[in-house]
């Protein structure tokens, strides 16, 4: 089922109440900002016509006037293929992550990992020797500033990070477009990697979790300043993620010998995300 643009409205129009109405009616939809307009997409022309009629009657989402049995005859929700088409950049980044996971054997292929780590390293016997960051960059290996986000250690590490990136990434891609999502992903990766390196020194770390905390902070503060249905996270998600961050920072996982956690990368990504959320939310609020 292909997505249909049900409405195109100026960005100054506040759709939050109407979007809340669509959510209460369980109407599948997404809102994207394109060429200075906000576009409301729904699956199928039939549903698009019903949404237009609903907006003409209740633009402020005042569904108290709706009869108790009112409902839209929604067509089947978008399938997996349609969701992938609507979130091409999110899906592409996840595909790249899976490819790297296969090449690195989920952390077991150290030769492949050495090409993607923040600084180069070599293993001799039971010891690991790290290179110098300045010399690494001087030799033109600038990709190392970003590629640690693609490295994952174990199937659980990969599964959790990719699931959360799919959840948060496609929200940003739908609301602000693929270019913004790509820019934010690279920025948060850079912030997370540098934060971990400055805190712990040369070490082997990786994963999308620093980026995820950046996306979380971005959605959170953007939503606070410029409410958007796309950034309205399920209740408890923010509390759960912040609680997990604090638990990791206690060192309990290292004590239980589950492996070291790159806590500085999480904090660095979160702070960068809060900053972009503040700036982006303030600009969106001003434009309204």
């Amino acid at each position: 089922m292909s997505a249909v643009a049900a409405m195109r409205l100026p960005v100054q129009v506040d759709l939050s109440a109407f979007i809340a109405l669509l959510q209460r009616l369980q109407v599948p939809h997404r809102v994207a900002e394109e060429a200075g307009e906000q576009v409301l997409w729904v699956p199928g022309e039939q549903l698009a016509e019903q949404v237009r009629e609903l907006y003409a009657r209740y633009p402020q989402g005042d569904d108290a006037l709706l009869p108790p049995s009112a409902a839209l005859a929604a067509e089947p929700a978008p399938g997996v293929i349609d969701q992938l088409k609507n979130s091409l950049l999110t899906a592409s980044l996840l595909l790249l992550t899976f490819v790297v996971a296969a090449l690195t054997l989920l952390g077991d292929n150290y030769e492949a990992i050495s090409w993607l780590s923040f600084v180069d390293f070599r293993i001799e016997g039971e010891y690991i020797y790290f290179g110098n960051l300045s010399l690494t960059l001087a030799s033109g290996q600038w990709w190392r500033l970003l590629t640690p986000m693609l490295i994952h250690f174990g199937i659980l590490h990969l599964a959790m990070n990719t699931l959360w990136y799919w959840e948060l990434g496609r929200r940003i891609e739908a609301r602000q477009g693929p270019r913004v999502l790509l820019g934010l992903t690279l920025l948060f990766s850079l912030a997370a990697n540098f934060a971990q390196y400055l805190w712990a020194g040369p070490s082997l770390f990786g994963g999308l979790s620093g980026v995820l905390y950046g996306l979380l902070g971005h959605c959170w503060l953007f939503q606070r300043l410029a409410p958007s249905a796309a950034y309205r996270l399920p209740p408890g998600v923010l509390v759960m993620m912040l609680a997990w961050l604090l638990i990791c920072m206690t060192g309990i996982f290292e004590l239980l010998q589950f492996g070291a956690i790159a806590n500085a990368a999480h904090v660095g990504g979160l702070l960068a995300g809060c900053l972009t959320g503040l700036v982006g939310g303030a600009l969106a609020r001003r434009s309204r």
Side-chain angles (χ1 to χ4, degrees), residues 230-252:
Y231 290 173
R232 189 176 296 115
L233 298 172
V237 166
L238 179 64
V239 175
M240 182 192 70
M241 293 287 282
L242 294 179
W244 177 256
L245 175 60
L246 293 176
I247 292 173
C248 291
M249 293 176 68
T250 63
I252 184 65

Side-chain angles (χ1 to χ4, degrees), residues 45-126:
E45 182 59 38
Q46 177 185 351
L47 187 57
E49 293 179 1
Q50 294 175 330
V51 168
R52 295 186 196 107
E53 181 181 353
L54 184 67
Y55 183 75
R57 298 175 61 187
Y58 308 107
Q60 301 304 318
D62 45 356
D63 59 340
L65 302 176
L66 286 171
S69 60
L72 299 187
E75 298 183 29
V80 174
I81 300 300
D82 290 326
Q83 292 184 47
L84 292 174
K85 289 180 179 179
N86 294 334
S87 308
L88 279 178
L89 181 65
T90 305
S92 298
L93 288 172
L94 289 179
L95 177 60
L96 179 59
T97 302
F98 290 133
V99 170
V100 171
L103 292 175
T104 60
L105 302 179
L106 287 174
D108 288 336
N109 186 349
Y110 287 103
E111 182 177 354
I113 292 175
S114 67
W115 282 97
L116 302 172
S117 56
F118 197 71
V119 292
D120 193 9
F121 66 88
R122 72 181 191 278
I123 297 178
E124 295 182 3
E126 297 181 356

Side-chain angles (χ1 to χ4, degrees), residues 156-174:
L156 183 60
H157 189 207
L158 175 68
M160 292 296 294
N161 281 353
T162 52
L163 285 173
W164 275 111
Y165 189 85
W166 172 251
E167 177 63 31
L168 296 173
R170 60 179 177 157
R171 290 172 181 265
I172 295 176
E173 185 171 1

